[in-house]
Amino acid sequence: LGEIINVKDIVEKRKILIKERIERLKREEGITPKLAVIIANSEESSRVYVGRKRKMCESLGILEEEYEFSEKITTEDVLKEIERLNNYDTVNGILVQLPLFKHLDTSKILKAVSPTKDVDGFHPENFGNLIQGNGKIAPCTPKGVMTILKEIGVDVEGKDAVVVGRSVIVGRPMAAMLTNEGATVTICHSKTKDLISHTKRADILIVAVGVPHLIKENMVKENSIVIDVGINKVDGKLVGDVDTKNVIKIAKSVTPVPGGVGLTTVHTLMENLIDLTETL
Ligand code: NAD
């Protein structure tokens, strides 16, 4: 039987490092990092995610401000607010909580965030730098996955990595980061013809789809590392995209859901904020 990766311990360890960096910023530069969060939707889950980010900020001594808008808000209004926050010296990071109300222009809004305050790494400039292999700020979820791989001692160089899912938030930047580190990367998605033929070859399998237990034990390679990004609600319970209980019989290590990748996502957001604050 393989092991369930203890992501909680990894996060606790990294939190200590972040705290040290925050202390130094306060002590030597008189700066207390501040995150501004823009919420323009009516999704209940967004409130939960923002709540987690708020809590993490509080526990680390980071300032956090939320700007919540009603459905009457226009793209222009949001752009104006972002422009104001871009110019505020005391704001180090701006996070636009997705999804936005349907009538808002998400692409335009994400582009308006200054690349120097783009904690989520969604600005095309940061995304482009990432693809070119010299990105400093990368989207939190895939960056958190890279942290997990590093912390459990996986050297991705030369490995066959398969990423299932090609979203802008997870799959694509994940593939870019693995490529940058020297893995041979395959991206699978809803149009992939024979998913199992790809997943079965993966030394490192990363699944970000949103289909409960899509990945079964017959789909993974022996002794592989399986990272489950999926978060699905089934009968009121959270489950991932990986059938962990059975996959663990074949794989070497699997991340759990809940208590897996989700933990590193929030924590990586804080790392991005500190990176941006330090390069002021
Ligand atoms: P998305 O809906 O934007 O993308 C899903 C991707 O899966 C698409 O590229 C699609 O082509 C692919 N896909 C769909 N069905 C497939 C199938 N049967 N076989 C292969 N590929 C298929 O989703 P997303 O935003 O990337 O999120 C994916 C999952 O990860 C969701 O469950 C989401 O809740 C979760 N998520 C978790 C975190 C975290 O912090 N843990 C962060 C972001 C997203």
PDB file of all heavy atoms in Angstrom, residues 265-279:
ATOM      1  N   THR A 265      -2.958  25.590  -1.775  1.00  0.00           N
ATOM      2  CA  THR A 265      -3.390  26.702  -2.630  1.00  0.00           C
ATOM      3  C   THR A 265      -3.422  28.005  -1.833  1.00  0.00           C
ATOM      4  O   THR A 265      -2.848  29.011  -2.251  1.00  0.00           O
ATOM      5  CB  THR A 265      -4.783  26.411  -3.230  1.00  0.00           C
ATOM      6  OG1 THR A 265      -4.681  25.274  -4.080  1.00  0.00           O
ATOM      7  CG2 THR A 265      -5.299  27.571  -4.048  1.00  0.00           C
ATOM      8  N   VAL A 266      -4.075  27.988  -0.698  1.00  0.00           N
ATOM      9  CA  VAL A 266      -4.211  29.200   0.114  1.00  0.00           C
ATOM     10  C   VAL A 266      -2.847  29.658   0.618  1.00  0.00           C
ATOM     11  O   VAL A 266      -2.518  30.846   0.602  1.00  0.00           O
ATOM     12  CB  VAL A 266      -5.157  28.959   1.313  1.00  0.00           C
ATOM     13  CG1 VAL A 266      -5.363  30.247   2.088  1.00  0.00           C
ATOM     14  CG2 VAL A 266      -6.482  28.432   0.834  1.00  0.00           C
ATOM     15  N   HIS A 267      -2.070  28.690   1.025  1.00  0.00           N
ATOM     16  CA  HIS A 267      -0.756  29.003   1.559  1.00  0.00           C
ATOM     17  C   HIS A 267       0.173  29.598   0.484  1.00  0.00           C
ATOM     18  O   HIS A 267       0.926  30.529   0.731  1.00  0.00           O
ATOM     19  CB  HIS A 267      -0.213  27.694   2.152  1.00  0.00           C
ATOM     20  CG  HIS A 267       1.232  27.663   2.238  1.00  0.00           C
ATOM     21  ND1 HIS A 267       2.013  27.155   1.238  1.00  0.00           N
ATOM     22  CD2 HIS A 267       2.057  28.125   3.180  1.00  0.00           C
ATOM     23  CE1 HIS A 267       3.267  27.292   1.592  1.00  0.00           C
ATOM     24  NE2 HIS A 267       3.326  27.873   2.764  1.00  0.00           N
ATOM     25  N   THR A 268       0.052  29.089  -0.746  1.00  0.00           N
ATOM     26  CA  THR A 268       0.877  29.597  -1.842  1.00  0.00           C
ATOM     27  C   THR A 268       0.495  31.024  -2.211  1.00  0.00           C
ATOM     28  O   THR A 268       1.338  31.829  -2.611  1.00  0.00           O
ATOM     29  CB  THR A 268       0.765  28.670  -3.079  1.00  0.00           C
ATOM     30  OG1 THR A 268       1.076  27.348  -2.658  1.00  0.00           O
ATOM     31  CG2 THR A 268       1.718  29.073  -4.174  1.00  0.00           C
ATOM     32  N   LEU A 269      -0.782  31.334  -2.030  1.00  0.00           N
ATOM     33  CA  LEU A 269      -1.237  32.705  -2.253  1.00  0.00           C
ATOM     34  C   LEU A 269      -0.455  33.662  -1.346  1.00  0.00           C
ATOM     35  O   LEU A 269      -0.031  34.740  -1.768  1.00  0.00           O
ATOM     36  CB  LEU A 269      -2.737  32.786  -1.940  1.00  0.00           C
ATOM     37  CG  LEU A 269      -3.401  34.130  -2.150  1.00  0.00           C
ATOM     38  CD1 LEU A 269      -3.586  34.387  -3.637  1.00  0.00           C
ATOM     39  CD2 LEU A 269      -4.747  34.173  -1.444  1.00  0.00           C
ATOM     40  N   MET A 270      -0.243  33.245  -0.115  1.00  0.00           N
ATOM     41  CA  MET A 270       0.504  34.072   0.843  1.00  0.00           C
ATOM     42  C   MET A 270       1.964  34.192   0.402  1.00  0.00           C
ATOM     43  O   MET A 270       2.563  35.249   0.503  1.00  0.00           O
ATOM     44  CB  MET A 270       0.432  33.465   2.256  1.00  0.00           C
ATOM     45  CG  MET A 270      -0.990  33.283   2.763  1.00  0.00           C
ATOM     46  SD  MET A 270      -1.875  34.850   2.863  1.00  0.00           S
ATOM     47  CE  MET A 270      -3.516  34.379   2.351  1.00  0.00           C
ATOM     48  N   GLU A 271       2.518  33.080  -0.107  1.00  0.00           N
ATOM     49  CA  GLU A 271       3.904  33.123  -0.605  1.00  0.00           C
ATOM     50  C   GLU A 271       4.015  34.110  -1.773  1.00  0.00           C
ATOM     51  O   GLU A 271       4.961  34.885  -1.843  1.00  0.00           O
ATOM     52  CB  GLU A 271       4.355  31.725  -1.062  1.00  0.00           C
ATOM     53  CG  GLU A 271       4.702  30.834   0.098  1.00  0.00           C
ATOM     54  CD  GLU A 271       5.342  29.503  -0.317  1.00  0.00           C
ATOM     55  OE1 GLU A 271       5.332  29.152  -1.518  1.00  0.00           O
ATOM     56  OE2 GLU A 271       5.835  28.809   0.565  1.00  0.00           O
ATOM     57  N   ASN A 272       3.027  34.059  -2.668  1.00  0.00           N
ATOM     58  CA  ASN A 272       3.041  34.996  -3.794  1.00  0.00           C
ATOM     59  C   ASN A 272       2.976  36.441  -3.296  1.00  0.00           C
ATOM     60  O   ASN A 272       3.669  37.311  -3.801  1.00  0.00           O
ATOM     61  CB  ASN A 272       1.856  34.723  -4.731  1.00  0.00           C
ATOM     62  CG  ASN A 272       2.149  33.617  -5.740  1.00  0.00           C
ATOM     63  OD1 ASN A 272       3.268  33.135  -5.831  1.00  0.00           O
ATOM     64  ND2 ASN A 272       1.140  33.224  -6.491  1.00  0.00           N
ATOM     65  N   LEU A 273       2.125  36.674  -2.300  1.00  0.00           N
ATOM     66  CA  LEU A 273       1.980  38.032  -1.764  1.00  0.00           C
ATOM     67  C   LEU A 273       3.309  38.521  -1.181  1.00  0.00           C
ATOM     68  O   LEU A 273       3.714  39.664  -1.418  1.00  0.00           O
ATOM     69  CB  LEU A 273       0.882  38.073  -0.689  1.00  0.00           C
ATOM     70  CG  LEU A 273       0.653  39.449  -0.062  1.00  0.00           C
ATOM     71  CD1 LEU A 273       0.013  40.411  -1.058  1.00  0.00           C
ATOM     72  CD2 LEU A 273      -0.221  39.356   1.189  1.00  0.00           C
ATOM     73  N   ILE A 274       3.978  37.655  -0.463  1.00  0.00           N
ATOM     74  CA  ILE A 274       5.255  38.048   0.142  1.00  0.00           C
ATOM     75  C   ILE A 274       6.308  38.256  -0.948  1.00  0.00           C
ATOM     76  O   ILE A 274       7.097  39.201  -0.893  1.00  0.00           O
ATOM     77  CB  ILE A 274       5.738  36.998   1.185  1.00  0.00           C
ATOM     78  CG1 ILE A 274       4.660  36.763   2.247  1.00  0.00           C
ATOM     79  CG2 ILE A 274       7.044  37.435   1.846  1.00  0.00           C
ATOM     80  CD1 ILE A 274       4.101  38.004   2.894  1.00  0.00           C
ATOM     81  N   ASP A 275       6.308  37.396  -1.974  1.00  0.00           N
ATOM     82  CA  ASP A 275       7.233  37.588  -3.100  1.00  0.00           C
ATOM     83  C   ASP A 275       7.032  38.979  -3.712  1.00  0.00           C
ATOM     84  O   ASP A 275       7.989  39.694  -3.985  1.00  0.00           O
ATOM     85  CB  ASP A 275       6.979  36.545  -4.210  1.00  0.00           C
ATOM     86  CG  ASP A 275       7.520  35.163  -3.838  1.00  0.00           C
ATOM     87  OD1 ASP A 275       8.295  35.067  -2.874  1.00  0.00           O
ATOM     88  OD2 ASP A 275       7.156  34.194  -4.526  1.00  0.00           O
ATOM     89  N   LEU A 276       5.770  39.351  -3.933  1.00  0.00           N
ATOM     90  CA  LEU A 276       5.469  40.651  -4.545  1.00  0.00           C
ATOM     91  C   LEU A 276       5.856  41.790  -3.611  1.00  0.00           C
ATOM     92  O   LEU A 276       6.360  42.822  -4.055  1.00  0.00           O
ATOM     93  CB  LEU A 276       3.977  40.748  -4.894  1.00  0.00           C
ATOM     94  CG  LEU A 276       3.480  39.844  -6.020  1.00  0.00           C
ATOM     95  CD1 LEU A 276       1.963  39.871  -6.117  1.00  0.00           C
ATOM     96  CD2 LEU A 276       4.092  40.250  -7.356  1.00  0.00           C
ATOM     97  N   THR A 277       5.627  41.594  -2.315  1.00  0.00           N
ATOM     98  CA  THR A 277       5.934  42.658  -1.349  1.00  0.00           C
ATOM     99  C   THR A 277       7.453  42.872  -1.263  1.00  0.00           C
ATOM    100  O   THR A 277       7.919  44.005  -1.212  1.00  0.00           O
ATOM    101  CB  THR A 277       5.390  42.291   0.048  1.00  0.00           C
ATOM    102  OG1 THR A 277       4.018  41.926  -0.077  1.00  0.00           O
ATOM    103  CG2 THR A 277       5.498  43.465   1.004  1.00  0.00           C
ATOM    104  N   GLU A 278       8.189  41.789  -1.291  1.00  0.00           N
ATOM    105  CA  GLU A 278       9.653  41.890  -1.168  1.00  0.00           C
ATOM    106  C   GLU A 278      10.303  42.543  -2.387  1.00  0.00           C
ATOM    107  O   GLU A 278      11.371  43.116  -2.284  1.00  0.00           O
ATOM    108  CB  GLU A 278      10.257  40.496  -0.962  1.00  0.00           C
ATOM    109  CG  GLU A 278      10.018  39.992   0.453  1.00  0.00           C
ATOM    110  CD  GLU A 278      10.506  38.563   0.671  1.00  0.00           C
ATOM    111  OE1 GLU A 278      10.796  37.867  -0.323  1.00  0.00           O
ATOM    112  OE2 GLU A 278      10.573  38.150   1.826  1.00  0.00           O
ATOM    113  N   THR A 279       9.654  42.423  -3.549  1.00  0.00           N
ATOM    114  CA  THR A 279      10.267  43.001  -4.746  1.00  0.00           C
ATOM    115  C   THR A 279       9.753  44.405  -5.017  1.00  0.00           C
ATOM    116  O   THR A 279       9.903  44.921  -6.123  1.00  0.00           O
ATOM    117  CB  THR A 279      10.005  42.124  -5.989  1.00  0.00           C
ATOM    118  OG1 THR A 279       8.604  41.878  -6.066  1.00  0.00           O
ATOM    119  CG2 THR A 279      10.742  40.814  -5.935  1.00  0.00           C
TER     120      THR A 279
END
